[in-house]
Amino acid sequence: MSLPRRLLTAVRPALQQASSVPRKACRQAQHTFPSAPQRSNSASTKLHNHAKRSAQLAVSEPEAEPVAESTNPALSFPCLDKLESRSASLSSRSSGPEPSYTTGKHLNFHSREPILLDWGGILPEFNIAYETWGSLNKDRSNAVLLHTGLSASSHAHSTDINPQPGWWENFIGPGKPLDTAKYFVICTNVIGGCFGSTGPSSIDPANGERYATRFPILTMEDMVRAQFRLLDALNIDKLYASVGSSMGGMLSLASGTLFPERVGRLVSISAAARSHPYSIAMRHTQRQVLMMDPHWNRGFYYDGVPPHSGMKLAREIATVTYRSGPEWEQRFGRRRADPSRPPALCPDFLIETYLDHAGEKWCLSYDPNSLLYVSKAMDLFDLGQDTRSRMNKVRQGNASKLQAYRDGRAPAADPQSDLCSLTLPEVPYEEKEQPAEEGSANIDAVDVAPADLVAGLRPLANTPALVLGVASDILFPAWQQKEIANTLKRTGNKNVTHIELGEEKSLFGHDTFLLDLKNVGGAVQSFLG
């Protein structure tokens, strides 16, 4: 008798006995399992540790032949053990599991005036966390508004009340690109963020509870309008310059289009005038892995374990887009962390350990809901005239909501009040063959600026602009900055400086704006000076 048949003969009596158990008893047995939260919070739960096959096939027949162990030992998964251990430790914290998101002390602007958001949401009041460097001159004409990337705080440079180095530490100071001997530099944390400005983790004054996913959908323009409320409070009528990189470069463009008379010049680095499919796709995958973490709980996790596993994976995906393949080839190659040991399914190659570390150090330092809302605002960004006209109509239609709130009245019934409840299409997307002339694979088309984008950027026709891109950037490829520059020139703007750093100058990809003081900082300093 072959081995498989001997096994079947051995276990058949046990299987027959199990099949004779009444269904009612089976249902009762099912109810003895702990609830889902109990299982997820148990430090001893190891879903990846499988019971031995010999135990699964054990029978009471004394004459049954013993079942052999597996040919190979089970792999260990220390990376999963670490995630489970973190969940257990967060669950047992007496002070509450949700970490406090902060990068240190900062200034705060509190607006008691409600703000209407583009998609109809209302913030009854809001905070803007900000920091400043340098001094405002007598006529208040030397202010530079520095916009942040997606996950950055207002702490771009060290201050007296927060001496920790900031995210643009080497770019700000006397004689630096943002010269504090000349300029009064202001940096804010955007609304929707979690470093002091009002966002999903903030308390809703209407009910005293955290907004969570009751926080309204944001746009980049909403963030800019809130920033200009701060400028109003500081009595700054016109900026000397608006400066930003990545998401900040998008905010800088939005500032100039919304308030052209209040922006003297603008700098946009490694950004786009409209989000393109690749960057939308990458942010979508980050949101999906975060939202699929069971701890996310549809955004209401603040009294429980935060979705740290989803945040870690989201950051790892993001990190892949922040650097370039050639740089990683130089830094890591195909080297493994420990070539003397057998390969593992947990981080094994040096590049894997780098991504793992990037996710580890970030997964509890930024609010997951803020990542969802701010990244979605980036996806929605489009300065084309069609989108701007459509959003202006939406704002006009929602203006009555703001007036009703100010008057203490309930807003009029909206027949489309369920617009924020999306319905997925019944028929999934299917690939369709497109005529060659309709394809968009030819990025040389940016040499001819789209008419819709030219119309949308026309408010910037008289604003001097520096547009800088990096050839090794895969998140915001250099052709997107070329599109901005060509579009600005098509508006009639005669003062557009376009710089592209080739791979011979920088292999740092999208993160070049954080690292390259010589080329990025030098270009900014020359343009502003």
Side-chain angles (χ1 to χ4, degrees):
M1 183 182 297
S2 64
L3 179 59
R5 292 188 62 186
R6 289 202 305 271
L7 292 176
L8 181 60
T9 301
V11 302
R12 181 178 290 118
L15 295 175
Q16 291 173 343
Q17 181 179 0
S19 64
S20 64
V21 177
R23 292 185 178 180
K24 181 177 181 181
C26 291
R27 289 195 297 269
Q28 291 174 342
Q30 291 172 355
H31 290 303
T32 63
F33 286 103
S35 63
Q38 290 173 321
R39 290 199 303 272
S40 63
N41 291 337
S42 172
S44 63
T45 301
K46 295 286 186 286
L47 298 180
H48 53 278
N49 288 344
H50 302 290
K52 293 183 178 179
R53 187 178 178 88
S54 57
Q56 294 171 346
L57 299 179
V59 293
S60 58
E61 301 292 336
E63 66 276 7
E65 297 181 16
V67 179
E69 293 282 353
S70 172
T71 306
N72 305 296
L75 294 173
S76 63
F77 293 90
C79 51
L80 300 185
D81 292 338
K82 182 181 292 186
L83 295 178
E84 292 173 353
S85 176
R86 181 185 290 122
S87 291
S89 63
L90 288 171
S91 179
S92 63
R93 279 168 42 161
S94 60
S95 60
E98 182 64 12
S100 174
Y101 304 110
T102 179
T103 53
K105 294 182 179 180
H106 52 73
L107 303 174
N108 184 67
F109 163 67
H110 180 72
S111 174
R112 297 189 179 279
E113 180 70 14
I115 185 170
L116 174 67
L117 307 179
D118 273 337
W119 283 101
I122 292 176
L123 295 180
E125 55 188 60
F126 62 91
N127 290 323
I128 291 288
Y130 72 101
E131 297 177 48
T132 67
W133 304 268
S135 301
L136 199 58
N137 59 15
K138 290 183 179 180
D139 60 2
R140 315 183 88 78
S141 63
N142 67 332
V144 174
L145 179 59
L146 175 62
H147 304 276
T148 73
L150 184 154
S151 58
S153 72
S154 61
H155 192 59
H157 188 272
S158 53
T159 64
D160 291 339
I161 61 175
N162 184 0
Q164 294 298 316
W167 56 267
W168 236 28
E169 185 74 17
N170 295 328
F171 291 73
I172 302 172
K176 299 292 182 65
L178 296 188
D179 191 343
T180 51
K182 295 181 179 180
Y183 312 122
F184 178 61
V185 182
I186 309 164
C187 185
T188 80
N189 180 221
V190 297
I191 57 170
C194 57
F195 296 123
S197 295
T198 296
S201 60
S202 302
I203 299 298
D204 182 352
N207 59 12
E209 299 177 356
R210 294 184 192 253
Y211 280 105
T213 45
R214 290 180 292 240
F215 197 78
I217 289 291
L218 288 167
T219 66
M220 308 287 277
E221 289 82 353
D222 292 329
M223 299 173 184
V224 168
R225 292 187 187 97
Q227 289 175 320
F228 275 72
R229 289 269 189 98
L230 166 64
L231 297 181
D232 292 340
L234 296 175
N235 294 318
I236 297 174
D237 295 329
K238 185 173 183 177
L239 293 169
Y240 179 80
S242 172
V243 178
S245 306
S246 187
M247 184 185 85
M250 301 161 87
L251 289 168
S252 190
L253 290 168
S255 298
T257 55
L258 281 177
F259 302 100
E261 73 287 351
R262 299 186 66 178
V263 176
R265 51 187 52 75
L266 68 85
V267 176
S268 180
I269 304 169
S270 297
R274 49 183 177 162
S275 282
H276 293 271
Y278 176 80
S279 59
I280 293 174
M282 296 310 297
R283 288 187 289 268
H284 161 76
T285 57
Q286 294 169 49
R287 288 193 297 270
Q288 287 290 290
V289 297
L290 169 55
M291 293 164 66
M292 289 180 184
D293 185 324
H295 291 306
W296 181 62
N297 195 31
R298 301 191 178 231
F300 291 87
Y301 51 79
Y302 293 107
D303 294 325
V305 176
H308 59 89
S309 297
M311 281 291 278
K312 177 181 176 180
L313 290 173
R315 186 61 170 187
E316 291 188 34
I317 295 171
T319 303
V320 170
T321 70
Y322 293 159
R323 297 298 181 96
S324 76
E327 183 215 352
W328 283 352
E329 183 67 34
Q330 291 184 6
R331 288 176 64 187
F332 307 113
R334 289 185 43 78
R335 295 192 302 277
R336 295 176 56 217
D338 188 352
S340 67
R341 299 181 64 84
L345 296 181
C346 279
D348 181 23
F349 284 93
L350 285 183
I351 182 60
E352 294 177 313
T353 62
Y354 168 77
L355 293 175
D356 183 73
H357 174 69
E360 281 285 333
K361 69 179 183 179
W362 195 74
C363 66
L364 292 175
S365 65
Y366 192 78
D367 182 42
N369 282 337
S370 285
L371 174 62
L372 298 177
Y373 278 88
V374 177
S375 70
K376 189 65 178 183
M378 293 181 70
D379 290 354
L380 295 171
F381 186 65
D382 181 1
L383 291 179
Q385 187 59 48
D386 286 349
T387 298
R388 295 191 67 198
S389 298
R390 185 166 61 251
M391 291 312 304
N392 286 336
K393 290 181 180 179
V394 172
R395 284 188 65 83
Q396 291 172 5
N398 288 319
S400 60
K401 293 183 179 180
L402 183 60
Q403 189 58 49
Y405 176 83
R406 286 171 169 161
D407 296 342
R409 299 181 287 106
D414 185 354
Q416 296 181 317
S417 60
D418 63 343
L419 281 180
C420 48
S421 300
L422 293 175
T423 302
L424 295 177
E426 295 182 2
V427 179
Y429 174 79
E430 295 180 359
E431 292 287 349
K432 296 179 181 179
E433 187 173 348
Q434 293 183 343
E437 63 270 15
E438 295 183 11
S440 57
N442 182 15
I443 62 173
D444 290 336
V446 298
D447 288 331
V448 180
D452 175 61
L453 201 57
V454 173
L457 293 185
R458 202 167 296 282
L460 296 174
N462 298 313
T463 305
L466 167 64
V467 182
L468 190 149
V470 180
S472 58
D473 190 343
I474 63 173
L475 183 59
F476 288 87
W479 63 263
Q480 295 182 8
Q481 292 84 59
K482 187 177 182 181
E483 179 181 70
I484 297 172
N486 288 340
T487 301
L488 288 174
K489 292 175 182 178
R490 283 283 304 279
T491 67
N493 193 324
K494 304 297 184 183
N495 199 348
V496 178
T497 303
H498 175 225
I499 297 175
E500 180 177 322
L501 301 181
E503 292 190 2
E504 74 281 359
K505 290 189 175 180
S506 178
L507 290 179
F508 293 123
H510 189 63
D511 274 355
T512 297
F513 75 88
L514 293 170
L515 304 169
D516 194 337
L517 179 62
K518 177 183 177 181
N519 292 303
V520 174
V524 171
Q525 188 168 24
S526 176
F527 176 76
L528 295 182

